[in-house]
Structures are given as structure tokens and as C-alpha cells.
């Protein structure tokens, strides 16, 4: 396989929290430019899997590789010492967006976006500010540059968080339920930003409950349950013609509660439940 | 004996000089204790040095478990014995700093607890760690969250400097003692002293309230 096809590799990842096995020998390969949505019931390990990629949740066993280079290999934790520098370089190449935004409340929008550029990438203050302005523009916050995060709405905060990640010019974006903490009316703005990113060819790994969104942007959908990947395939197949009973069941439950988008109706139409 | 306010007025210029010394000592003590407590907080939260964590716990429980006056005397009288000739001023500053730092460490722990775990994760995910993670992301938020409790601690420190009069530091309390032991009008002189302390503490708490509103405005 070409290098692009194996852009990101997760190999036999096992993560245990005390007695609970959060991930059980999970392997996943993502190609360059591919958008992969991870869905599944809560507690299935999808967030842990995402956090394994940038070693925020170091697994007990397994390897993560980005473009063939090992980001981390369990049980090595690399939280201190020489390894941390190498790990930071990898982390800078992977933008992460959290459910709870995690924007820094003591810094303005611009400072939120420039800080890591200066420290990690060694950009000058002027360079970083220029890149930050462009990133804030891309997410539609051009007029909020000097605002404090607490003055922004949830959706704006999340877009700020996305800009913060984008300004690092990452080669991969990790998104952990980016719209789950948002009021329904704010979701669309964030999704629009993510959609345009996908169209620009950004490689993305997205944990989401937005099936309609997944249907629009994802090349592939991964369904997880109890720390394992249960079903994995092209979006159209996974969402429209699931192979496993478990995924059928899950989709039915999700579509019953979500707005009846065209997508959801399609799923229901395919699914006699 | 009648209350004669003229004795208060007569004492004011010297009391004012004493108040300046009190301000100096308390500001120095405050600054040093904040630095020390920040360092200790980093040791406790950002390192895995178990021995240091244990020593810190012992230090905090000793400071909290004994009167400040005893600590002041101990440092003042013991330091020459062990060959440290630091004089009353430095001994006083040292006592105030060591005492206050133990409380500030606990205050900062509370402030730190209010910083969401996600703030660390966001910083780490961007490739930040160590000094930058703590200095630029976590500690500023810790301090902001700790402001009300810190102000409270610092009015305590300002008032506690009165105890330093017992080790011959000529601060506000000592000055007033010097005056009323000569003119035998303790009530009038101490009234002036009382007001001086009050004005200083009031100024500190007002300034802090201003600071808080300013921070709230930018965060709300």
C-alpha cells in the first residue's frame, strides 16, 4: 500500500482503566485526505480511541503511526523526558477539537490561536498573528479577534477552538464530539466549517452523533461498541445498509431522536424497524 | 481621663511613618510568599517527587498547627544560634513569608481544582508542556480563580505584621507603643493606629474588588 493509504495507523490498541477494558485490540487505518466518522453508544471507547492518536490517553498496548513514524508505542508513556519533545512535534501536526471547546478563558481569541504557534512551531509573533487572523477568518470569527472567549457563544467558542487547531497547519484533525455540547441552532455553523475543511482535503477523524453530517462528509464510518470496532465500511453502506443487527439497532435509536433530516429518513426507509 | 483627640493628631505623622514600614513589610512578605507558594504548588502538582510532596505536607501542617507569634520568635531567636545573623527585619520577613506561603499553597490548590482538566488537554494536544503549559495556560487561570481567597489572606498578612513589633521591628504597632509609653495616652494613640490599619486593609480589599470586577467584565 502507498504511504498515503497508511497515513495514520492504529495497531492493536488496548487500553484499560482499572478493570474496565476501554479498547480491546482496536486497529484502524486512515488514508490521507480521508474523513472517518466514529459512531457508537456512549462508553464504547470512541473518545478514548481518538485520544490515543495523539497520546493524550496512552494505551496499555499497541502502536500509533503517523506517516509511518511511531507517535507512541505502548507501554511507553512519553509524558516526561526526551520523548516529550518528539511527541509534541507529532501533537502539533494533529489538531484536536474537544466536546467542551477548552478555549483558554484568560486569553483573547487571537492569543488563544497564536500561543502554540509561537511556542511549538517557533513562529514569530507577527507571523503567528497573521496566520491566526486567517484561521479566525476561515471559521467566521474575523470580527471577534480581540474578544474574550467567555463573550462568545458556544458555537463561536468551538469555532475558535477549531481555528486554534488549524493555525498549527496540522496534517490531521481529531474531533471529539465537536457539536455535542452546543445548542441545536449553533450546530450548523460548526458543521459548515468542518464540511469546508473536509472539502479542502483535510484528513479527519470525527467522533460524532450527527448522522446527517456523517452522511455528508464521511468517506467511511466506523461503528464501535464495548471497546471494539463492530462494523466499518464506506459511509453509504454503513448508514444505509448496515450489516450487523447492532448497528441497525443503534441507527434506529439515533434517528428516532434526531431531526428527520433527509439522511435520517433514508436510514429509516432502509430499515423496517 | 478624658479622650483628647489632639494626642491622636500629634501621633499621626509618626504613625504614618510606621504604617509605611508595615506596608513595606507586608508587600514584601506577600510577594515572597506568592512566589514561594507558586513554586511549591508546581512541585506538588507538576512533579512526581514523592519525598518533596511529603515534606510539603509536613511543612504545611506545622505552620498551620502553631501560632505565628511562636514562629516569629523561633526564627528570630533560633537563627543566630545556628549561625544565621539575619537581624529582626529579615527574620520578620522570613517568618511572615514562610507562614503565609503555607496558606497560599492551599489557596492555590483550590484555584487549581477549578481549572477544568480539558484546559490541560487542550494545551497538551497542541504540543505545549512543562513551563509553557503551566506558566501560560494553567497558572494564570489558577491565580484568577484564587483572587478572592488571596486578598483575604493578604489582609491577614498585613494585620499579622503587628506581631513583628515584638521582635523590635519599628512598624506601625511598635511606633504607637513607643508614643503612648511616653505620653501615657494609649487610647488616643491606638485610635490612630486602629484607623491606619483599617485604611490600609480597606484599600487592599477595595483594590481587589476593582480587580475582580475588571476580570469579570472581560470574562462575562
Amino acid at each position: 500500500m502507498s504511504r498515503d493509504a497508511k497515513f495514520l495507523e492504529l495497531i492493536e490498541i488496548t487500553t484499560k482503566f482499572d478493570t474496565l477494558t476501554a479498547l480491546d485490540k482496536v486497529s484502524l487505518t486512515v488514508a490521507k485526505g480521508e474523513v472517518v466518522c466514529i459512531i457508537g453508544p456512549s462508553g464504547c471507547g470512541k473518545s478514548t480511541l481518538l485520544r490515543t492518536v495523539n497520546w493524550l490517553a496512552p494505551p496499555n498496548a499497541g502502536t500509533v503511526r503517523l506517516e509511518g513514524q511511531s507517535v507512541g508505542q505502548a507501554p511507553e508513556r512519553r509524558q516526561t523526558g526526551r520523548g516529550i519533545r518528539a511527541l509534541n512535534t507529532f501533537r502539533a501536526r494533529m489538531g484536536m477539537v474537544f466536546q467542551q471547546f477548552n478555549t483558554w478563558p484568560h486569553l483573547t481569541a487571537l492569543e488563544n490561536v497564536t500561543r502554540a504557534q509561537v511556542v511549538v512551531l517557533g513562529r514569530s509573533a507577527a507571523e503567528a498573528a497573521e496566520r491566526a487572523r486567517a484561521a479566525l477568518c476561515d471559521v467566521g470569527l474575523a470580527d471577534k479577534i480581540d474578544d474574550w472567549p467567555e463573550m462568545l457563544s458556544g458555537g463561536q467558542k468551538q469555532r475558535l477552538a477549531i481555528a486554534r487547531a488549524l493555525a498549527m497547519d496540522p496534517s490531521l484533525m481529531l474531533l471529539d464530539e465537536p457539536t455535542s455540547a452546543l445548542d441545536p441552532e449553533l450546530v450548523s455553523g460548526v458543521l459548515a466549517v468542518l464540511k469546508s475543511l473536509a472539502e479542502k482535503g483535510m484528513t479527519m477523524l470525527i467522533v460524532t452523533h450527527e448522522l446527517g453530517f456523517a452522511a455528508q462528509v464521511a468517506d467511511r464510518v466506523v461503528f464501535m461498541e464495548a471497546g471494539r470496532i463492530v462494523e466499518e465500511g464506506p459511509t453509504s453502506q454503513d448508514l444505509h445498509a448496515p450489516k450487523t443487527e447492532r448497528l441497525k439497532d443503534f441507527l434506529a435509536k439515533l434517528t428516532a431522536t434526531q431531526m428527520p433530516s433527509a439522511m435520517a429518513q433514508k436510514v429509516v426507509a432502509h430499515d423496517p424497524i | 481621663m478624658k479622650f483628647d483627640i489632639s494626642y491622636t493628631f500629634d501621633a499621626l505623622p509618626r504613625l504614618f511613618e510606621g504604617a509605611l514600614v508595615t506596608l513595606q513589610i507586608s508587600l514584601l512578605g506577600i510577594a515572597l510568599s506568592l512566589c514561594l507558594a507558586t513554586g511549591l504548588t508546581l512541585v506538588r502538582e507538576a512533579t512526581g517527587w514523592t519525598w518533596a510532596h511529603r515534606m510539603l505536607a509536613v511543612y504545611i501542617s506545622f505552620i498551620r498547627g502553631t501560632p505565628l507569634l511562636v514562629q516569629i520568635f523561633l526564627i528570630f531567636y533560633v537563627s543566630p544560634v545556628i549561625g544565621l545573623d539575619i537581624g529582626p527585619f529579615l527574620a520578620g520577613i522570613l517568618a511572615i513569608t514562610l507562614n503565609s506561603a503555607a496558606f497560599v499553597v492551599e489557596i492555590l490548590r483550590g484555584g487549581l481544582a477549578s481549572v477544568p482538566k480539558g484546559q490541560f488537554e487542550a494545551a497538551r494536544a497542541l504540543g505545549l508542556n512543562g513551563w509553557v503549559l503551566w506558566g501560560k495556560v494553567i497558572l494564570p487561570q489558577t491565580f484568577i480563580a484564587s483572587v478572592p481567597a488571596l486578598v483575604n489572606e493578604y489582609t491577614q498578612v498585613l494585620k499579622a505584621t503587628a506581631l513583628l513589633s515584638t521582635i523590635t521591628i519599628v512598624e506601625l504597632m511598635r511606633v504607637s507603643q513607643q508614643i503612648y509609653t511616653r505620653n501615657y495616652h494609649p487610647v488616643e494613640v491606638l485610635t490612630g493606629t486602629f484607623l491606619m490599619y483599617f485604611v490600609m486593609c480597606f484599600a487592599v480589599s477595595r483594590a481587589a474588588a476593582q480587580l475582580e470586577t475588571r476580570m469579570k467584565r472581560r470574562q462575562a
Side-chain angles (χ1 to χ4, degrees), chain B residues 67-89:
Chain B
L68 174 57
L69 188 58
V70 178
Q71 295 161 14
I72 292 171
F73 279 158
L74 202 65
I75 290 175
F76 182 59
Y77 289 116
V78 168
S79 54
V81 174
I82 59 167
L84 280 172
D85 194 10
I86 53 177
F89 190 81

Side-chain angles (χ1 to χ4, degrees), chain A:
Chain A
M1 256 199 269
S2 78
R3 203 171 117 159
D4 278 358
K6 283 189 170 184
F7 185 68
L8 174 72
E9 290 171 282
L10 299 166
I11 303 157
E12 303 224 317
I13 301 290
T14 298
T15 304
K16 290 186 175 127
F17 298 125
D18 293 324
T19 53
L20 177 91
T21 303
L23 294 174
D24 189 8
K25 288 196 173 175
V26 175
S27 295
L28 180 69
T29 305
V30 179
K32 192 169 176 59
E34 197 178 18
V35 177
V36 177
C37 279
I38 306 172
I39 60 173
S42 62
C44 71
K46 53 195 193 302
S47 285
T48 308
L49 185 67
L50 200 69
R51 293 149 57 83
T52 304
V53 177
N54 62 358
W55 225 244
L56 272 186
N60 298 80
T63 309
V64 176
R65 288 205 195 109
L66 182 67
E67 295 187 281
Q69 293 168 296
S70 168
V71 173
Q73 193 161 14
E76 168 194 12
R77 303 222 153 203
R78 278 190 181 170
Q79 294 296 348
T80 54
R82 272 173 295 151
I84 193 82
R85 189 173 295 227
L87 177 57
N88 283 340
T89 314
F90 277 112
R91 282 176 170 170
R93 289 165 61 190
M94 308 189 234
M96 184 152 194
V97 174
F98 301 85
Q99 183 178 359
Q100 297 298 336
F101 330 132
N102 297 338
T103 48
W104 297 321
H106 63 297
L107 301 174
T108 63
L110 187 70
E111 289 166 339
N112 260 278
V113 184
T114 54
R115 191 66 88 206
Q117 293 184 63
V118 173
V119 176
V120 183
L121 303 181
R123 288 179 184 160
S124 72
E127 237 178 318
E130 195 182 328
R131 181 67 190 90
R133 274 174 223 280
L136 286 166
C137 251
D138 286 346
V139 299
L141 292 178
D143 55 334
K144 304 286 182 192
I145 281 175
D146 294 315
D147 283 12
W148 300 100
E150 296 306 312
M151 293 156 69
L152 304 176
S153 72
Q156 290 170 332
K157 272 189 218 171
Q158 190 62 298
R159 284 184 277 145
L160 171 59
I162 294 171
R164 179 171 66 177
L166 285 180
M168 302 291 283
D169 295 313
S171 41
L172 167 73
M173 286 287 278
L174 307 168
L175 299 111
D176 190 2
E177 302 195 31
T179 57
S180 298
L182 296 178
D183 290 339
E185 57 178 339
L186 302 176
V187 170
S188 61
V190 171
L191 292 185
V193 168
L194 297 181
K195 205 176 159 194
S196 83
L197 263 181
E199 279 159 7
K200 283 177 197 159
M202 175 67 79
T203 313
M204 294 202 273
L205 206 50
I206 309 173
V207 170
T208 187
H209 292 296
E210 300 280 342
L211 289 188
F213 169 70
Q216 282 177 39
V217 302
D219 299 306
R220 196 144 55 95
V221 170
V222 171
F223 174 64
M224 288 184 69
E225 190 180 40
R228 287 164 198 246
I229 292 178
V230 177
E231 190 166 341
E232 178 186 354
T235 308
S236 50
Q237 180 201 310
D238 257 23
L239 293 183
H240 300 174
K243 281 180 288 193
T244 57
E245 280 304 314
R246 189 60 195 92
L247 179 53
K248 266 182 208 169
D249 196 38
F250 178 75
L251 291 176
K253 275 187 189 135
L254 222 60
T255 47
T257 55
Q258 280 187 2
M259 282 225 303
S261 66
M263 174 58 232
Q265 281 161 356
K266 239 179 172 176
V267 173
V268 174
H270 274 83
D271 195 342
I273 295 170

